[in-house]
Structure formats: C-alpha cells, structure tokens
Amino acid sequence: MRVLRAGQVFDGERFVGAADIAIDGGTVVDVGPPREYASEVSVEDLVDVTVLPGLVDAHQHLTWDCSTDPLGWHQESDDEALLERGRANARQALAAGVTTVRELGGRGLVTVSLRDELARDPSSGPTLLVAGPALTTPGGHCWFLGGECPGESALRAAVERLAAAGVDVVKVMATGGTLTPGSLPHESQFGVAELRAVVEAAHAAGLPVAAHAHGTRGVADAATAGVDTIEHVSFMTADGVAQDPDLVGRLVETGIPLSITGGTVPGPVHPAIAARLPALQEHFRGLVASGANCFCSTDAGIGPAKPHDVMVHGVTQLVSLMGLPHDRAVAMSTSRPAAALGLSDQAGRLARGMPADLLVVSGRLDEDIEAILRPERVLHAGVVVRGPGQ
Ligand SMILES: [Zn+2]
C-alpha cells in the first residue's frame, strides 16, 4: 500500500480539504484525513496540489483527426490508419487526466478493437466504452462511418449486429449535424417510432442508447423514445437557438442525463457553431440553472478546436463562460458523467473501492479553476502514466 497526502482533495462532488489517499495495486483502499501509518507504508507528501478523480469524457471520436474535413479523413484512411490515430489520441487524452472515455462514433468496428487493445495496458489510454458506427439515415449525418439504416427494421437489425460485435452503447443520430455535407443540425433524421425501435432493441441486448440531437424536435423525440443520454441538446433552429421552456420542463422532470458539449481550445470554430455561440452559451446557462441533469462532454476529434485532451478546457469554461461554482464544474466532468454512463462504482469518484484513476494538478483547484490545466501526475488503474515514477 502507498499513500498520497494532498493539501486539497476533490472527491467527485466536493472539495474535502487535506486528505490521504491510500492505494493498493489498482484500487483506492481509503480516503480520509491525514493520519499516522505503520513505518513500512510509503507516504508521499504532495505540496500545493489538488487531487481529483480522473476526468470522464462521455463524448469523443477517438479515431478522428481533428481536421476540418472528417469525411476526407475517413475516405483516405484505412482501418489501420484510424487505429493508429486512435492510439495517439488516447495517449493524449490520458496524459491530460481523462481516464474514462465514451467513444461515440468511429468507422465500422475499429473502436471495438481499440478498446480491447487499450484495456490490456492502463498506460496506453483511458478506459473506453465504445459505440462503433453511429446509426443514421442513408446519406445522413456521419454516414461515412457505415451505420446507414433506412428504417425501423434496419435499425433493429443494426443494433443486434453491434451488440453481437461487443459494443458498450448504441449511438443514434436523431437529427442532422454541422460537419456532414448536406446535413442540417436542426432537422430531424428519425422520429419517435424509429428512435423507439433503437431503444427497444438496445435495451433488449442490455445496452444503453445515446442520441445525438440538436434541433428541438429531435431532442423532444429522443426524450419521448426513452434514450439514456441526449448528446448536444442545443435547441438549434435554422438560423439560431431557441430554448423551448415546456421541453426544458419535461427534461427536468424526467431527469434524463443531458450531455452538454463544451470545451474548445483557442482557434477556428466551425462557422455554423461560431454564429450561434452567444445564443448557445445563454441556452446552456439556462439549461443548467433549470435543474436539468446536465454534465459536460467534448465531442473531441471533430475539428481543430477539439483535440482529445480538450476536456480540461470544458472544466474551466463551465466556470468562465457559465458562471458555475468550481465544485459543480468539476463534478459535471467527473461523477456526473460517470453516473449517467452507469459507472458510478467504476469512475468519477475518489472513495474506498474505486479504481485508482487520479489526476493531480498543481495548485488549489477550489480557488483557481485553471489549476486543471496544470497536470502534475496522472494515475490510471494505479499505474503512473504521467509524472514521477512513470
Ligand atoms: Zn459527436
């Protein structure tokens, strides 16, 4: 057993002050106030740091190249090239302290292979949940991943195929998106009947459903169909953003987990997003304030502003752009997404019995949210993947 003694610890929900974190192998065996230990226990006193659970990014595209042309990237790359890119992106995410990633759209079954490969070595990347190709309409949003389904029976068959191939979650494109030529984010691709077919088939196979939905009708239909998370939830219209108070009321009432897309690095943003940015920020502020079950995820991989370590900017921007208190912002990036993904006993919290997935940052995160941008050490399943002892 070894002990990390930190001046500040965040347990997944709140800052608890100075604490000892005892680790045995890959597991946290105790978190509590600093105390004495038997002489054979190594206690490492970490000065001026905050220790928090590894970040949980519930929406990434690990095999994408962060260019402005994802269609071109997929057309010019064979599966080995996608896999190689996925390995590098996974290392980048982990080095920033993202220890759990839900992969929501890669071509074919490449991401299933990537998940199984990374699971053999905790230092190679985060723990992954993968969807394989997102299910979409013929020629619809992200058709180039290979998940085109013309109707209900094709959707059910595709879910069964993906379940047999070992995916962890089913992703469906309820609406169009900004990055596929010819696709419009505010327009629905599937209605309630088709989304319900996906949910029924997935739940029958023991899998949750993540629905991509920008337009208000797509968000409403995804909620009605009973999906497990709604991605983006941007309430986009043809030329802006229009929050629908009745629908927000329904989302609050049902408590359905909402995966709010956040986190960008300085640089060009997709023009369709840039034009709507002030309205989107206002919308998200209102959604979070409404009491809806929101958490932060990034959509990493889809463009130059979205590298795979961008989650740390998501944390700071929840504070700087949305005015959230520090503990809430960090919880929305650790314990809240973990709960939404059904991983409350595997990720997002620092407590006895949890995997030793830890991020150690320089400074006091409760006072300075930008401390999250200064990682000193990252542990994944007890293995030091960044910092001394690596
Ligand atoms: Zn996405």
Side-chain angles (χ1 to χ4, degrees):
M1 187 176 87
R2 62 205 158 113
V3 173
L4 297 180
R5 175 164 293 166
Q8 180 59 283
V9 168
F10 181 80
D11 69 0
E13 284 294 333
R14 59 191 65 80
F15 292 97
V16 298
D20 286 355
I21 299 150
I23 299 167
D24 193 5
T27 307
V28 172
V29 291
D30 199 25
V31 180
R35 63 178 179 89
E36 298 288 314
Y37 296 88
S39 56
E40 68 270 19
V41 175
S42 108
V43 179
E44 195 180 350
D45 218 334
L46 299 169
V47 183
D48 193 29
V49 300
T50 302
V51 179
L52 64 152
L55 302 174
V56 178
D57 192 346
H59 190 143
Q60 289 205 357
H61 298 277
L62 268 172
T63 53
W64 294 31
D65 70 341
C66 305
S67 74
T68 53
D69 181 19
L71 172 57
W73 163 247
H74 282 87
Q75 285 175 332
E76 75 200 18
S77 304
D78 62 11
D79 283 1
E80 187 49 41
L82 297 181
L83 202 50
E84 192 50 45
R85 182 74 201 206
R87 291 179 187 119
N89 290 339
R91 284 193 298 272
Q92 185 185 19
L94 187 59
V98 182
T99 52
T100 303
V101 166
R102 185 170 66 160
E103 207 312 319
L104 283 186
R107 189 175 68 205
L109 297 174
V110 166
T111 56
V112 175
S113 305
L114 182 65
R115 176 200 64 193
D116 294 347
E117 182 183 310
L118 298 187
R120 292 194 282 273
D121 174 7
S123 69
S124 63
T127 302
L128 299 192
L129 301 180
V130 303
L135 304 182
T136 191
T137 47
H141 184 41
C142 291
W143 61 269
F144 49 85
L145 300 177
E148 293 171 285
C149 296
E152 277 179 56
S153 56
L155 286 164
R156 286 181 194 274
V159 171
E160 284 163 18
R161 268 199 312 279
L162 290 172
V167 302
D168 304 290
V169 54
V170 172
K171 166 91 175 287
V172 61
M173 301 299 199
T175 70
T178 48
L179 54 78
T180 305
S183 179
L184 292 169
H186 60 281
E187 286 184 353
S188 284
Q189 298 197 150
F190 293 121
V192 174
E194 287 123 327
L195 295 172
R196 229 177 225 143
V198 172
V199 170
E200 283 173 8
H203 288 183
L207 297 176
V209 174
H212 156 111
H214 284 295
T216 306
R217 205 184 101 211
V219 173
D221 288 351
T224 302
V227 305
D228 298 276
T229 63
I230 305 180
E231 307 300 308
H232 311 305
V233 208
S234 51
F235 284 60
M236 278 191 191
T237 61
D239 54 1
V241 174
Q243 198 175 71
D244 173 343
D246 290 344
L247 179 53
V248 171
R250 258 183 72 202
L251 296 173
V252 172
E253 211 171 289
T254 57
I256 185 168
L258 305 178
S259 185
I260 303 301
T261 313
T264 51
V265 295
V269 175
H270 191 287
I273 301 293
R276 291 178 169 98
L277 210 49
L280 273 174
Q281 283 166 3
E282 184 62 36
H283 159 61
F284 286 141
R285 269 196 293 273
L287 198 56
V288 170
S290 73
N293 181 9
C294 298
F295 59 91
C296 177
S297 65
T298 67
D299 221 356
I302 61 160
K306 296 279 191 182
H308 292 82
D309 56 0
V310 77
M311 185 84 183
V312 289
H313 296 284
V315 177
T316 62
Q317 286 159 4
L318 285 174
V319 174
S320 64
L321 300 179
M322 297 185 54
L324 293 182
H326 294 197
D327 53 356
R328 182 99 187 268
V330 188
M332 281 176 66
S333 311
T334 52
S335 59
R336 302 295 170 84
L341 273 47
L343 300 176
S344 283
D345 58 351
Q346 294 164 60
R349 293 186 300 121
L350 277 188
R352 182 178 307 166
M354 297 293 291
D357 295 345
L358 266 61
L359 169 56
V360 181
V361 299
S362 169
R364 298 276 303 215
L365 191 56
D366 52 328
E367 294 164 1
D368 172 18
I369 199 65
E370 299 214 337
I372 199 88
L373 305 176
R374 300 190 297 269
E376 283 200 350
R377 194 178 304 198
V378 176
L379 273 71
H380 184 210
V383 176
V384 178
V385 297
R386 178 185 193 126
Q390 184 187 347

